[in-house]
Structures are given as C-alpha cells and as structure tokens.
Amino acid sequence: MNVFALGWRNLARNRRRTALSLAIVACGTAALVVTAGFVRFSFDGLREAMIHGGLGHLEVAAEEEVERRGVVALDRSPSAALEGWEALRGELERLPHVDAVGANLHLLGLVRRADGAAVSFVGLGVEPDRELRMAFPTKLRSGRGLAATPPAPGDEPVLLAAGLARSLGAAPGDTVTLLMARADGMLNAMDARVTGIYTTGVAELDTRMLKLPLASAARLAETSRVSNLVVALDDTSRTAEVAAAVRRALAARGDALVVTPWSARAPFYEQVRGLYTGIFRFLGTIVALLVVLAASNTLVMTVFERLRELGTLRAIGTTPGQIAALLFAEAGELGLAGGALGALAGWAAVGGINALGLRLPAPPGAVEEIDLELALVPEAFVGAVVLMVAVLLVAAIVPILRATRIAVVDALGHV
Amino acid sequence: MKPARAALCAFVAAALGAARLAAADAELTRLLADSDPFATAPSEMRVELVFSSPRGEARVPVEIWRKGEGLALVRFLAPRDLGKYVVRRDGGFYFLSPRAAEPVRLAPALAPAGGAALDALLAVRPSRDYDVVTTSEHSGQVTFDLAARAGTPGAPRLRWVVSRATRRPLRVEFRDAADAVERLVEFKAWRAGRRLEPAAIVAKEIARGSPPLEVEIVAIEERPVPAALFDLKDGSARAALPPPQRPPEAL
C-alpha cells in the first residue's frame, strides 16, 4: 500500500475540510515568511545604516588609543602611529574587496557665530571624495555638500548638523568660528563658511555634529595626524576575511595599529538584534502554536468523521501501524501543501507590501522615516515549510492514538 | 595684698599682655607685607615665561604684557603659535587667532591655565587688598586666612602661607566665597636680587580639575606698555611687537 498516494486521495476526497486546513497552514507559513522578511530588513537596514553612516566595515586605529578609549569610542585623538597614513591607505586600498579607505580626524570644541553664544561641537574631518566611494551619504537639508577637492587655507567650508545649526541660528552662507584645544592644551580658532546643513539621522547627534574637509580639520587641530582610517568593503560578508588581510598588512609594516570590525564597534547593533530576535521568536512561537491548535482540531475532526471507515480498514486486516502511517502521511502532505501555498502567498505578500512603498515612522532617537522594504529570505521559506510539516505531524499524534486504540467493533458502530 | 594694689597689678599685667599681642599683630602684618612679591611690582611690565607639564612633554613659551591691573596680553612665542594671543580686558578673556577674523571670548575655564594663574598672582596684593581673618603657625609656616576688602577684584578669599624663616610665600590658595579652593599656586624658586621675584611656580586649577602646570618665569621687565596692545579690533600694535628674543629651544 502506498500511503502517500492514499494520503493525497483522502485529502482530495474531502475538499472543503482540506481547503480549510490548507488555509490555516498557508496563513501561518505566510506570516512566518513575512515576519522573517521584516526581521532581515530590520537587521540588514540597521547594519548597513551603521556601516555607511560612518563606522565603515573596519577601523584602523592606534593600538594605544584603542586600549585607552576602548573599541567603541567614536572620537579618537590624532595618533603618532598614523603619521604616515597616506602610504598605509594606498596599501590597504589595493587589497581585494576594499572599496575605499578614508581618513578621519575627530575634533571637540566650541563653535559660535559672530556675537552669538558658543555651542560645543563634535567635529569630523573627512575626505569627501573617499566618502563618496565608500557610499557614506551626507543627508543634506539645505545648501550644498563638501567639495571633493581640499579647500585652500583661509577658505574653510563646514557642514553643520541641523540641530547645531538651529542652536547657532546659522544658515548656508554664514561664517562661524570654531575653537578647539590641541592635545598639548594650546587653543586654536578658525573661521569657517557654512556651505550646508545636514542630518546624521540621529536627533541627539544632530545637536552637536559638524563635518569639514580633512584639510580644514587639520588646520584647526594643527596636526598632520589623523584619528583613524575607515575601510569600506564591497560586501559586508567579507568583513572577517578582509580584516585578516589588513592585520597581515599591518604586521608586515610593524605599525602599532589595530583593526576593529564594525560589529565590535557597534554593540548597539547586537543589543537591538538580541531584543528583536527575542520578540520575533515569541511571535513565531505564538504563530506556530495557533497553527498546531487549529490543525490539530481539524485533524481530530477528520479522524472522528472517518472512524467507521478506519474501523472497516481494520476489519479487513489493516494493522494499526498502517492506519497510523496513512494518517501521518495525510498530515505531512497537508503540511507540505499548506506550507508550499503559504510560501507562495508569503512571496506575493512581500512583493505586494514592497510595491506599496510604505514608510515606517522614525525609530526612537532617529529623525527620518524608513522605507519599508521586506527581504525575501530563502532559508525562511524552507524553514517555514519544514516547520509546518513538523507541526502537522505533531498535531496528528493525538487523533492517531485515538484512532488506532479504538476497538474495531466500536469503530464500526461509530456514528 | 590690698584690693587697690591687686587691681593695679591686674591692670599692668593686662596692659603688658595687650602690648605683647599688639606687637605680635604688628609682626604678622610685617611678615605678610614682606612676603607680598608684587607689592612693589611695576604697574606696566613684560613677563616672559615657559609653561610645562610636570612630565615635561610640552613646553609652551609665552610673554605676558600687563598694563595696570585691568589689561593683560598673553602672547604665544612658539613658532607654530605666533600670531595667537589671549587678551584680558573688561573682566573677560579673548582669544585672537590668525585664522579667525574676530576675537573669541573665552569662558574662564578656557583661559590658559598657567597664564590665568600667573595673571591672578600678579594682580593679588594680600597686604593691601585683604583683611586678615585668622592666622596660625605650624613648623615655621605661618598661614594667613584673608578676606578681600570691598571692591577688590579677584578671589574673595585667600590662604597665604609664608615661611617665617625666609619671609617668603610658600603657596597661595585662591578661594571662592564659600571658602572652596579654586586655584593653588606654589612658589618653587626665587630670583636672586633685591626685589622678591618668583622664578618658578606650580599652578593647579583645582576647580577645573586640570593637571598641575609648572611655570618658569624667565624674565620680569618693567617697561611702558602701549594700550593699543589690548585693542580687540586693531591688531597692528600686536603685530609690531618685537619677535621672540630667544630661540624656542632656549626657552
């Protein structure tokens, strides 16, 4: 007896009941597929936002500075270990999968407009041409961005974050004075022309951040050193591989520098990931439980409606094991078909939702809405179908036990 | 003893005690005046000094030009810092940089630590502007707790510690109205000569929490100082100042 063929026939025999069961399983599968797509969208979006928001895939910084301030510090003092950073940058940019390497100079100080109050700032000296190659976008609100070519001394451009510009009452075209102390405590002040207003995407950072070309930042800090080098890759999954190559290059040069991958510099990402994973597991468990209960109920009804039929099979010599195999086959096939339908429905739902162009409200602390673009997660499709088959098999246990333990006479007399 | 004679003896003893106390007070007042290093300092002068941290990793040579007690100019002498100044006038500090068109008013916390300490020290006249609140003596060191007289600019309270043997100040604590220490200056060495002039001090900005700074006073020179040096808008007088007289490595 081919239990699988018989199983399909039995399912086809009672179309309405089978359709109901398939609908339940398909809905559960689609829900899991869409949820997995949302989870992947959230994780990937957060990860890439952090990497291309300025962290880069890898950071190369002075060992002493990392030991002193920790790997997660976002501002580092210019270091003697990075004195010859241009040569090192050239070497790193020749490594496979490296898109570009940008030098950063971190600044802390006060900024003021003429006759205005001073506001403390956190500044970032960047190389605009490298930022472009590294796909580090500057989200301009007004004015224009930094030019790719280094500015001449005395003509220093600066981009102010929106909150900082508001505090200063500054707009593109205004001149502000930046004041900061060198590492040895000596002050320096420099006038800079506001070329644009931008947002970092994080409301709190927007109240303090400003960005200027590396050459201008070096003139303000009066140093030829940089704080760190940020490495951007063509593929995030290559991070560990390229980190190892960069470490080998640094070891060959004998520089007192360390390489830190983005994940170590962004504990926030792992925290969010842990929190979201917990939430999604909880929701997934509820979905699976609902499917188990609904499918179990359907299967119990199926078995009870067919008790006389099963009694007849037993009476003509079919063993309880064969009955159990038949019912398990039906449950598994129901799970497989429902899962497959659900996967299709989930794929269609992901496509449909993405086509709607929905936007999510800005997350806590952020300033911009997010374009919702659910991901298609192949492993979620396979996993959801396998889960549904397993769930249906589990749901079939109780009715099968009932069907195989009932006496043949009682089964034949069941109405 | 008859009551009249006893009363007379008591009166004489009290008078002698009072005279001794008065003599002691006069001696303390003399000690305070003797230990006042800038009591006879000229009102217009140029002071050349070098700031360094105790570990000596950074040496910052500067000049301070003072005109009276209201105007001071700190000129930075290191080649990379030429053209930078801090001006104290109208009760405020202003930073002037060749890269900034306008002077930047500094919060007191941003005034150069050593310069501010020396500036405060040059302005302080303990024997003229302060009243003695209490005195105490221990191991040859006399401590004067002083309160500023009305209208005295600067610290409302001072603790002035003097060596009785050398009659020179050992340290001075600048205190706020609540008697909390804001700044501590220790006198480390003295210049040979008739006038009491410190050669080295250590300044600690207690309220600011910054590390101690050693200040080596290379020269104190009495000379007329033009008021135009302190002009915040017109820098021509500052630009006309003579170039640093010593090479940076000698400072």
Side-chain angles (χ1 to χ4, degrees):
Chain A
M1 181 175 69
N2 185 341
V3 292
F4 294 106
L6 282 176
W8 284 120
R9 282 190 196 173
N10 283 334
L11 288 176
R13 214 165 38 145
N14 197 332
R15 289 195 175 87
R16 196 185 303 160
R17 193 193 309 124
T18 302
L20 179 66
S21 303
L22 282 175
I24 292 168
V25 175
C27 284
T29 308
L32 289 175
V33 165
V34 172
T35 305
F38 184 74
V39 171
R40 177 66 62 86
F41 154 75
S42 303
F43 289 172
D44 287 0
L46 182 62
R47 184 189 68 196
E48 295 305 313
M50 289 180 130
I51 289 170
H52 294 283
L55 272 189
H57 290 92
L58 300 169
E59 182 204 36
V60 178
E63 191 174 7
E64 183 192 27
E65 182 67 13
V66 173
E67 278 173 8
R68 191 168 66 86
R69 305 285 313 276
V71 290
V72 295
L74 292 177
D75 61 302
R76 302 198 186 284
S77 302
S79 170
L82 281 164
E83 191 79 66
W85 60 271
E86 291 98 335
L88 174 62
R89 186 249 289 281
E91 196 172 325
L92 298 184
E93 284 191 334
R94 284 192 289 277
L95 291 174
H97 303 295
V98 173
D99 268 348
V101 179
N104 286 339
L105 181 56
H106 302 145
L107 314 166
L108 293 171
L110 294 171
V111 55
R112 63 190 284 274
R113 275 182 71 200
D115 305 324
V119 179
S120 61
F121 74 80
V122 178
L124 187 61
V126 298
E127 298 176 285
D129 59 325
R130 288 303 196 287
E131 291 227 307
L132 209 62
R133 282 170 55 186
M134 293 193 291
F136 287 7
T138 298
K139 297 167 190 163
L140 278 176
R141 287 283 177 267
S142 61
R144 56 189 170 77
L146 300 173
T149 49
D155 180 28
E156 320 289 1
V158 66
L159 292 179
L160 299 179
L164 181 61
R166 236 188 337 270
S167 302
L168 291 167
D174 287 349
T175 296
V176 293
T177 304
L178 308 172
L179 175 76
M180 71 168 288
R182 281 196 318 238
D184 63 1
M186 172 55 64
L187 293 173
N188 192 27
M190 186 177 84
D191 289 341
R193 188 174 30 85
V194 180
T195 60
I197 310 295
Y198 77 110
T199 178
T200 62
V202 180
E204 207 166 292
L205 290 180
D206 275 358
T207 62
R208 288 282 175 268
M209 286 295 295
L210 60 82
K211 215 182 221 193
L212 63 173
L214 185 65
S216 299
R219 284 192 277 272
L220 176 61
E222 300 186 304
T223 182
S224 59
R225 299 169 179 176
V226 296
S227 303
N228 63 2
L229 294 178
V230 172
V231 183
L233 310 181
D234 57 7
D235 181 357
T236 303
S237 66
R238 301 275 187 183
T239 302
E241 176 192 330
V242 180
V246 173
R247 282 191 190 98
R248 282 195 296 276
L250 296 179
R253 291 169 57 93
D255 292 333
L257 298 170
V258 289
V259 183
T260 311
W262 68 270
S263 52
R265 297 186 68 208
F268 174 71
Y269 174 78
E270 286 304 328
Q271 288 166 358
V272 170
R273 197 182 159 100
L275 176 69
Y276 274 33
T277 304
I279 292 170
F280 293 136
R281 275 194 187 142
F282 179 70
L283 291 176
T285 306
I286 290 176
V287 169
L289 204 62
L290 287 175
V291 173
V292 167
L293 289 174
S296 180
N297 183 50
T298 311
L299 289 171
V300 166
M301 293 301 295
T302 306
V303 168
F304 273 81
E305 283 175 13
R306 290 165 57 196
L307 267 182
R308 290 182 73 179
E309 173 194 325
L310 295 173
T312 307
L313 285 173
R314 293 278 307 279
I316 61 173
T318 311
T319 63
Q322 287 172 320
I323 298 284
L326 178 65
L327 292 175
F328 267 130
E330 284 180 34
E333 285 159 359
L334 195 60
L336 190 65
L341 277 177
L344 274 175
W347 176 78
V350 167
I353 290 169
N354 288 345
L356 288 174
L358 299 176
R359 290 175 70 80
L360 295 178
V367 293
E368 288 193 314
E369 292 183 334
I370 300 170
D371 291 326
L372 179 63
E373 194 164 347
L374 301 179
L376 288 171
V377 188
E379 56 268 35
F381 282 85
V382 176
V385 174
V386 170
L387 178 69
M388 285 306 144
V389 172
V391 160
L392 267 289
L393 292 177
V394 170
I397 290 173
V398 172
I400 286 171
L401 285 176
R402 193 72 194 274
T404 52
R405 284 177 182 172
I406 194 167
V408 176
V409 176
D410 292 340
L412 288 172
H414 186 81
V415 181
Chain B
M1 191 183 290
K2 288 182 179 176
R5 184 176 294 177
L8 182 63
C9 287
F11 175 75
V12 170
L16 285 172
R20 260 202 308 272
L21 280 175
D25 278 352
E27 158 56 14
L28 288 173
T29 306
R30 266 200 310 279
L31 180 64
L32 183 61
D34 290 350
S35 67
D36 186 344
F38 303 111
T40 57
S43 67
E44 296 190 21
M45 60 180 150
R46 170 187 164 276
V47 184
E48 192 175 325
L49 45 126
V50 179
F51 302 138
S52 56
S53 57
R55 283 183 292 171
E57 65 271 330
R59 287 171 61 80
V60 181
V62 304
E63 275 178 353
I64 296 181
W65 296 75
R66 282 178 61 85
K67 187 175 183 66
E69 287 170 17
L71 298 172
L73 170 78
V74 179
R75 178 194 186 201
F76 297 93
L77 301 179
R80 68 190 296 202
D81 295 322
L82 280 178
K84 292 181 186 173
Y85 305 91
V86 172
V87 173
R88 182 172 63 76
R89 64 171 301 149
D90 310 325
F93 290 93
Y94 300 85
F95 179 67
L96 302 154
S97 164
R99 293 191 188 281
E102 297 289 324
V104 181
R105 188 178 174 123
L106 298 177
L110 279 175
L118 189 73
D119 196 41
L121 192 63
L122 288 168
V124 77
R125 300 284 185 276
S127 56
R128 188 190 71 188
D129 297 337
Y130 287 81
D131 290 322
V132 177
V133 179
T134 60
T135 58
S136 60
E137 185 164 359
H138 183 70
S139 305
Q141 294 183 10
V142 181
T143 301
F144 295 90
D145 281 312
L146 309 172
R149 290 178 187 152
T152 300
R157 300 180 78 89
L158 287 182
R159 175 165 289 174
W160 190 266
V161 183
V162 181
S163 161
R164 187 178 276 285
T166 63
R167 305 185 78 76
R168 286 175 174 172
L170 297 169
R171 70 172 186 277
V172 54
E173 295 172 8
F174 295 81
R175 292 167 171 255
D176 62 15
D179 213 23
V181 183
E182 289 186 319
R183 169 184 292 139
L184 172 66
V185 173
E186 293 175 334
F187 297 89
K188 290 295 181 190
W190 296 91
R191 193 177 311 287
R194 194 169 57 83
R195 191 185 278 172
L196 189 61
E197 285 180 0
I201 62 171
V202 173
K204 294 177 186 167
E205 298 293 335
I206 308 290
R208 212 192 288 185
S210 49
L213 203 61
E214 287 179 4
V215 184
E216 182 191 342
I217 301 163
V218 180
I220 299 179
E221 179 190 356
E222 181 175 2
R223 59 182 290 172
V225 176
L229 278 185
F230 311 97
D231 192 319
L232 295 176
K233 297 285 180 197
D234 181 3
S236 54
R238 287 184 293 274
L241 283 172
Q245 292 166 5
R246 290 160 230 262
E249 58 275 12
L251 287 166

